[in-house]
Structure formats: structure tokens, C-alpha cells
Amino acid sequence: MNEELQQRLRVRFPELLAADAPLLPRLLRETVVRTLPPGQVVCQQGDSCGYLPLLLSGRARVFKVAESGREITLYRIETGDSCVLTASCIMSDIPFPALAVSETEVEAVLIPAGSVRAWMGESAAWRRYLFGLVARRLADVIAVVEEVAFRRMDARVAAWLLEHGVDGVVHTTHQELAVDLGSSREVVSRILRDLENEGLIRRQRGEILVLERAHLARLAAA
């Protein structure tokens, strides 16, 4: 098991482990591996953070929920990544300020909070990894703020469809799209209806077909 985990860690986190060989034995000795099913709540707002996850496989979503019930995605944690809010909570000893849910089955190496703090003082590679994580995620969150504050919703919908489409097909529902963009289902449905009336897309059950990619790209850039 250790040999298999060593190999997976080297593949998923090559820069971290290549820069600090002694960190690998500590990862194997001080951590545990856990698997979560899709739709599992990983962390709720106000929770204390006892572990920092390093994702070996799967995807999780970190988001905020307004009093009205509307959601907005802050960022996603993919294979080979970790959660900056969890790292921040561990280092600052503050509660988790959002919600995190597994979107697929997730397998992760869980690093105890004590180890996260100890390695900060003992491993330059670990410090660089966490500071790099903060920099990347800060850019992601700033992009979300800019999108919500300064960009028209129809342009955001068009850009989302282009980003998530595979061979012109986007597998999603109006509600899922609204949640990702931090809007309401009614607003997203109206925009999709307008795009369909213009001949840019066609809505089908559980999916959206992109018919005029070039026109949609011009709208996304507006």
C-alpha cells in the first residue's frame, strides 16, 4: 500500500515532493487516506479544520450560500490540488467560512492540522506549496468577484457554455448553471431562452447544444 501511495503522491504532487525528499516519509507516516462518495458534505461553514486534504482523485466544490438560498461557486478542488480555505483556517485557527461538497467520488490524503503547521517551519518546499496555493486561489476568487460585479449575466452564461461544452454539448441543468454563476434559475432560464430564440443554442433535457459557437464567443467577450 505504501509503495502504491508513494507513486501516486509523486505523480499528483511532483513539484512538492521533488523539492523535498524527506517530506514523503512524513506524508506516509503522519497522514491517512480517505474516500468520499459524490455529494458528501466535506466541510460546513463554521466547522473547525482538523485536516488539510491533498486530492489523489476526484473533484470537490467550495461555495457560499446566501440567506436567500442562492449559491455561488468560489472554486473547485481538482485531482492534484488542495483547499486554500482549509489551509488558511488551520494556520489562522479560524472556522471554515464556506461550504465544501464532493462533486465526484473523492480520494484524498488527509494531513493533520498539527503536521500542516509543523511542516511550515521545517520544509521550504511545503511553504512554497502553500504560498503558491494561496496565490492561485486568490486569483480565482478575484476573478469570481470581477465576474459578478462587472460582467453582464448573458456574457457570463455564454462564456460558461463555451468553457464546459464538449463537442458542442453541455451536460447541465438550468439550476446547476445558475448555482455555478451565483444567479437564480429564473434569470438563467430567461437568458437561455433568449439565446435559443436567436438560434445560438438548443435546449434539451439535461443538456444544451451549442449551435453557433462563434456568435456565442462574441457575446462572451462583450
Side-chain angles (χ1 to χ4, degrees):
M1 175 63 182
N2 267 5
E3 290 184 4
E4 179 187 351
L5 182 57
Q6 282 186 50
Q7 181 59 28
R8 296 180 70 190
L9 285 167
R10 290 184 189 279
V11 170
R12 300 305 188 197
F13 303 92
E15 295 180 4
L16 173 61
L17 296 179
D20 190 345
L23 190 58
L24 180 57
R26 299 194 66 175
L27 270 169
L28 297 173
R29 184 173 64 251
E30 300 178 27
T31 65
V32 294
V33 178
R34 291 288 182 269
T35 301
L36 298 176
Q40 175 74 45
V41 174
V42 181
C43 210
Q44 299 194 59
Q45 186 162 325
D47 285 352
S48 59
C49 299
Y51 295 88
L52 178 68
L54 300 181
L55 262 67
L56 295 171
S57 64
R59 183 181 67 248
R61 183 170 73 102
V62 179
F63 59 102
K64 290 285 288 184
V65 180
E67 290 185 4
S68 63
R70 283 172 53 183
E71 301 177 6
I72 184 166
T73 300
L74 299 177
Y75 56 86
R76 284 182 166 82
I77 311 167
E78 305 278 353
T79 298
D81 206 350
S82 187
C83 180
V84 67
L85 282 181
T86 302
S88 174
C89 293
I90 288 173
M91 299 306 299
S92 305
D93 197 24
I94 59 174
F96 195 72
L99 286 100
V101 174
S102 57
E103 290 192 316
T104 66
E105 181 176 88
V106 167
E107 187 180 14
V109 172
L110 303 183
I111 306 172
S115 297
V116 173
R117 298 188 191 101
W119 297 353
M120 281 292 289
E122 300 166 2
S123 170
W126 181 248
R127 289 194 297 273
R128 285 195 299 271
Y129 175 77
L130 288 188
F131 291 150
L133 182 64
V134 170
R136 292 195 305 275
R137 288 310 185 195
L138 183 59
D140 290 342
V141 173
I142 289 174
V144 170
V145 172
E146 289 177 340
E147 285 275 306
V148 173
F150 304 124
R151 199 174 184 191
R152 291 194 338 240
M153 182 55 69
D154 58 346
R156 295 178 62 206
V157 169
W160 194 96
L161 293 174
L162 292 173
E163 180 183 351
H164 291 82
V166 177
D167 296 328
V169 181
V170 184
H171 296 284
T172 189
T173 65
H174 295 197
Q175 180 62 32
E176 290 168 346
L177 203 164
V179 163
D180 232 26
L181 295 180
S183 184
S184 67
R185 186 185 186 283
E186 292 74 20
V187 168
V188 166
S189 294
R190 175 178 55 76
I191 291 172
L192 292 175
R193 183 173 63 249
D194 291 345
L195 294 178
E196 187 171 40
N197 290 339
E198 294 176 31
L200 306 186
I201 65 170
R202 184 164 71 246
R203 294 176 294 170
Q204 299 181 168
R205 186 174 182 83
E207 63 183 25
I208 298 169
L209 306 182
V210 175
L211 305 179
E212 293 289 343
R213 184 176 179 85
H215 194 149
L216 212 58
R218 287 195 293 272
L219 175 60

